[in-house]
Amino acid sequence: VQLQASGGGLVQTGGSLRLSCAASGRTVNSIGLGWFRQAPGKEREFVGRITWLNSSTDYADSVKGRFAISKDNAKNMMYLQMNSLKPEDTAVYYCAYHFRGNKFYVSGYDYWGPGTQVTVSS
């Protein structure tokens, strides 16, 4: 099982980026796919998640209304559309499978990809 995040880059404040997460497949017993991010010197934090069952989405308060998660089951892809980007969105973004527990916690996720860097300049 592998996940690969891509699409990061440098963008100005107020700009947009779309990240992609390529999944090798839907793992047995996983609830869905999630996005996390980690800024230098900070802990990895929840960004959002989408479920397999009905494509239900949840977001961190800090990105609600600006970010949107979608998926393409046929292509085994998940996307993170990021709009109105702010300097505080600068981080390495990761995708992972959600298997258990609270969706907000890193401990509930496995098969982390290597991440993609997003830098928002002021």
Side-chain angles (χ1 to χ4, degrees):
V1 178
Q2 291 184 333
L3 291 171
Q4 178 67 55
S6 61
L10 175 64
V11 64
Q12 292 184 334
T13 296
S16 298
L17 277 176
R18 189 177 84 151
L19 305 184
S20 299
C21 175
S24 62
R26 174 179 173 177
T27 60
V28 175
N29 296 326
S30 64
I31 300 169
L33 285 167
W35 286 100
F36 281 72
R37 65 186 182 186
Q38 188 166 16
K42 295 187 177 181
E43 294 187 352
R44 194 167 297 189
E45 65 174 4
F46 174 79
V47 173
R49 184 207 64 177
I50 188 166
T51 64
W52 298 120
L53 182 61
N54 55 6
S55 297
S56 174
T57 54
D58 296 281
Y59 300 95
D61 288 343
S62 59
V63 306
K64 278 182 183 176
R66 300 189 298 122
F67 290 12
I69 297 175
S70 61
K71 62 182 175 65
D72 185 331
N73 290 339
K75 296 181 179 179
N76 287 330
M77 296 290 293
M78 175 177 65
Y79 305 99
L80 180 65
Q81 178 65 44
M82 305 186 295
N83 300 322
S84 302
L85 283 162
K86 306 174 181 180
E88 50 264 45
D89 294 318
T90 295
V92 177
Y93 284 70
Y94 300 89
C95 55
Y97 286 100
H98 182 212
F99 280 97
R100 58 196 168 274
N102 194 304
K103 57 184 172 287
F104 296 107
Y105 299 148
V106 170
S107 59
Y109 293 77
D110 285 322
Y111 301 113
W112 296 86
T116 185
Q117 176 71 48
V118 172
T119 303
V120 184
S121 62
S122 57

